[in-house]
């Protein structure tokens, strides 16, 4: 059991500034999964909620001596709030957080609504933007269509090209893995936009509702990502990072990763809903109704009180929170047992190996085998590469 004094402070605050979207991605954990709460929340975050959020972030940063915090504007589609309201939110957050704490703003968007005026606003508040794009038009439109079933690809690409005109605002691209898409084609297409970072997310699935596989006996997602890894290394002119793969390299070398989907480091992020309620891992909405709820809100609880919540405290337990199989696995320092939502089943809760266990094992060994070939010494003991 984790003692409160051993918990890490929160450093990333994800604000759901919009709870509506202009497209209808069929894999969306916000609107098209088991928990439909977002459809009943305010369509946008009010300035009043942003004021309280800023105050709570500021007091938490001050209490823990944090020199900087990361504020992520999320949704839904954040640009649906409109430029004027977005400016009010950003101004409120910037002015409400102590000047002793640097605020790094980021916004995740589908890019379809981007204009020069939006970019001017983001210049003013130093907001960097990540854009969701699953690959070439046919790959992207397999899941990311408008509400009337039309392609979103051309509008997203137009937004990305506009964003590229101000590369200092371009945080990167985010794609969801689909086995039906060719991994090298997807990677190279995304790389053609010269993003600083490409993120690949595995589709959300649980043991009760597992992700699609063509052959359940094959680690198809691990194979898919291993081909991305090979394509990434194949061309020396590539300057972007691939976050999942760089995290595997870092964790294999004994360095902490950058996201909570891999590794054993305690998570340091929290979600603030548009009505001011606080959630831990909002992707748990893909698990079951209420899985992400904490029963907390900004008006009543501080973030120091938030980290005491049992649903968050257990996430600091490292190996002890994992299934027995994971605790004894030589790769656990790297995979961390897999992402929390991917471990769930109704009978045993989250004390299961990830539904992507075999995929992560294959990918980690593939990456570590490549590292050894190039003379690296990996941190974790590993079996021979496949």
């Amino acid at each position: 059991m984790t003692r409160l004094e051993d918990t890490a402070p929160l450093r990333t605050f994800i604000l759901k500034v919009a709870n509506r979207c202009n497209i209808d991605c069929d894999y969306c954990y916000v609107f098209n999964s088991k928990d439909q709460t977002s459809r009943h929340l305010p369509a946008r975050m009010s300035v009043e909620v942003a004021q309280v959020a800023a105050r709570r972030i500021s007091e938490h940063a001050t209490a823990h001596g944090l020199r900087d915090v990361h504020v992520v504007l999320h949704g839904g589609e954040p640009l649906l709030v409109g430029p004027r309201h977005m400016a009010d939110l950003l101004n409120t957050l910037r002015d409400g957080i102590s000047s002793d704490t640097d605020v790094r703003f980021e916004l995740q968007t589908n890019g379809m609504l981007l204009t020069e005026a939006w970019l001017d606003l983001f210049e003013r508040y130093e907001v960097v933007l990540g854009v969701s794009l699953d690959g070439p038009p046919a790959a992207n439109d397999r899941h990311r269509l408008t509400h009337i079933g039309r392609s979103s690809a051309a509008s997203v690409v137009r937004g990305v090209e506009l964003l590229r005109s101000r590369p200092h605002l371009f945080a990167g691209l985010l794609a969801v893995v689909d086995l039906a898409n060719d991994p090298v084609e997807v990677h190279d297409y995304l790389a053609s936009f010269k993003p600083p970072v490409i993120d690949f997310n595995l589709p959300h699935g649980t043991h009760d509702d597992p992700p699609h596989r063509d052959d359940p006996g094959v680690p198809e997602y691990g194979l898919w990502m291993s081909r991305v890894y090979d394509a990434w290394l194949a061309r020396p002119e590539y300057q972007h990072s691939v976050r999942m793969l760089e995290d595997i390299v870092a964790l294999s070398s004994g360095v902490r990763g950058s996201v909570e989907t891999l590794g054993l480091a305690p998570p340091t992020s929290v979600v603030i809903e548009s009505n001011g309620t606080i959630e831990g891992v909002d992707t748990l909405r893909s698990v079951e109704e209420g899985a992400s709820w904490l029963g907390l809100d900004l008006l009543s609880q501080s973030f120091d009180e938030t980290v005491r919540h049992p649903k968050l405290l257990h996430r600091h337990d490292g190996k002890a929170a994992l299934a027995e199989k994971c605790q004894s696995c030589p790769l656990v320092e790297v995979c961390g047992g897999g992402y929390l939502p991917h471990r769930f089943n109704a009978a045993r809760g989250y004390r299961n190996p990830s539904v992507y266990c075999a995929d992560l094992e294959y990918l980690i060994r593939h990456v570590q085998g490549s590292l050894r070939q190039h003379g690296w010494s990996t941190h974790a003991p590993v079996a021979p590469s496949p």
Side-chain angles (χ1 to χ4, degrees):
M1 178 65 68
T2 299
R3 298 176 304 171
L4 181 60
E5 57 267 28
D6 295 330
T7 59
L10 300 170
R11 295 178 178 273
T12 298
F13 302 87
I14 303 167
L15 274 61
K16 297 287 187 171
V17 298
N19 261 311
R20 302 294 183 270
C21 195
N22 54 331
I23 59 175
D24 188 28
C25 306
D26 59 17
Y27 54 56
C28 178
Y29 68 85
V30 178
F31 300 115
N32 288 324
S33 64
K34 293 179 172 61
D35 191 319
Q36 294 292 296
T37 301
S38 285
R39 297 183 181 275
H40 309 293
L41 290 169
R44 66 182 191 178
M45 179 177 286
S46 68
V47 170
E48 291 73 23
V49 168
Q51 286 174 333
V52 182
R55 174 165 58 84
R56 292 299 195 190
I57 293 170
S58 186
E59 67 185 19
H60 189 72
T62 299
H64 295 276
L66 304 181
R67 289 182 291 183
D68 60 83
V69 294
H70 187 199
V71 174
V72 182
L73 308 174
H74 211 273
E77 171 49 51
L79 301 191
L80 286 176
V81 305
R84 180 176 298 180
H85 190 69
M86 182 68 74
D88 290 341
L89 293 175
L90 287 167
N91 194 57
T92 298
L93 292 164
R94 184 185 63 183
D95 292 351
I97 297 174
S98 170
S99 59
D100 294 331
T101 305
D102 290 331
V103 182
R104 296 180 293 115
F105 285 117
E106 184 173 349
L107 183 145
Q108 186 66 32
T109 176
N110 59 41
M112 296 175 67
L113 302 177
L114 279 176
T115 62
E116 292 287 359
W118 271 116
L119 295 182
D120 289 342
L121 173 65
F122 296 137
E123 287 268 15
R124 191 155 70 247
Y125 290 94
E126 299 181 315
V127 182
V128 299
L129 284 77
V131 179
S132 299
L133 178 65
D134 281 355
N140 182 77
D141 291 341
R142 200 179 301 280
H143 300 284
R144 302 181 63 83
L145 297 173
T146 69
H147 287 278
I148 58 173
R150 291 181 178 173
S151 170
S152 67
S155 295
V156 177
V157 169
R158 181 204 57 78
V160 172
E161 292 291 4
L162 185 63
L163 181 56
R164 287 184 63 195
S165 68
R166 308 196 200 190
H168 53 290
L169 298 181
F170 194 6
L173 296 173
L174 171 64
V176 174
V177 174
D178 186 330
L179 298 177
N181 298 328
D182 181 84
V184 176
E185 181 184 22
V186 169
H187 171 267
D188 290 352
Y189 178 80
L190 297 178
S192 71
F193 295 103
K194 296 185 171 21
V197 178
I198 300 175
D199 262 340
F200 286 98
N201 280 354
L202 297 172
H204 290 301
T206 68
H207 290 276
D208 300 321
D209 186 13
H212 165 77
R213 295 180 186 273
D214 296 320
D215 184 346
V218 175
E220 293 170 310
Y221 290 92
L223 284 162
W224 201 98
M225 283 302 304
S226 72
R227 291 188 61 200
V228 169
Y229 177 81
D230 294 341
W232 179 44
L233 293 188
R235 294 171 58 177
E237 67 268 26
Y238 284 151
Q239 299 297 308
H240 63 274
S241 64
V242 179
R243 201 184 310 269
M244 181 192 297
L245 301 176
E246 286 203 345
D247 269 18
I248 289 173
V249 172
L251 290 160
S252 296
S253 304
V255 180
R256 178 172 174 165
S258 62
V259 292
E260 65 180 68
T261 53
L262 293 168
L264 290 169
T268 56
S269 62
V270 71
V271 176
I272 303 165
E273 266 299 350
S274 61
N275 65 348
T277 56
I278 302 170
E279 296 185 0
V281 184
D282 61 334
T283 49
L284 286 174
R285 293 181 182 184
S286 63
V287 169
E288 61 181 354
E289 183 84 15
S292 65
W293 303 349
L294 301 179
L296 307 178
D297 68 84
L298 291 170
L299 285 174
S300 305
Q301 283 88 21
S302 68
F303 286 125
D304 274 3
E305 291 174 283
T306 299
V307 298
R308 297 187 183 103
H309 194 284
K311 283 188 176 181
L312 300 191
L313 271 179
H314 88 91
R315 294 163 63 197
H316 292 74
D317 287 342
K319 291 182 186 179
L322 304 179
E324 290 182 11
K325 174 184 177 181
C326 296
Q327 293 180 33
S328 61
C329 176
L331 302 180
V332 69
E333 299 283 346
V334 182
C335 83
Y339 192 34
L340 182 63
H342 300 161
R343 304 178 204 160
F344 181 81
N345 83 343
R348 287 175 49 87
Y350 300 96
R351 295 185 68 88
N352 308 282
S354 167
V355 290
Y356 293 106
C357 178
D359 304 284
L360 292 170
E361 179 181 4
Y362 183 93
L363 177 60
I364 291 167
R365 288 178 172 171
H366 181 85
V367 172
Q368 291 183 339
S370 171
L371 295 178
R372 288 196 299 272
Q373 288 176 4
H374 290 84
W376 287 53
S377 176
T378 57
H379 172 65
V382 295
S385 302

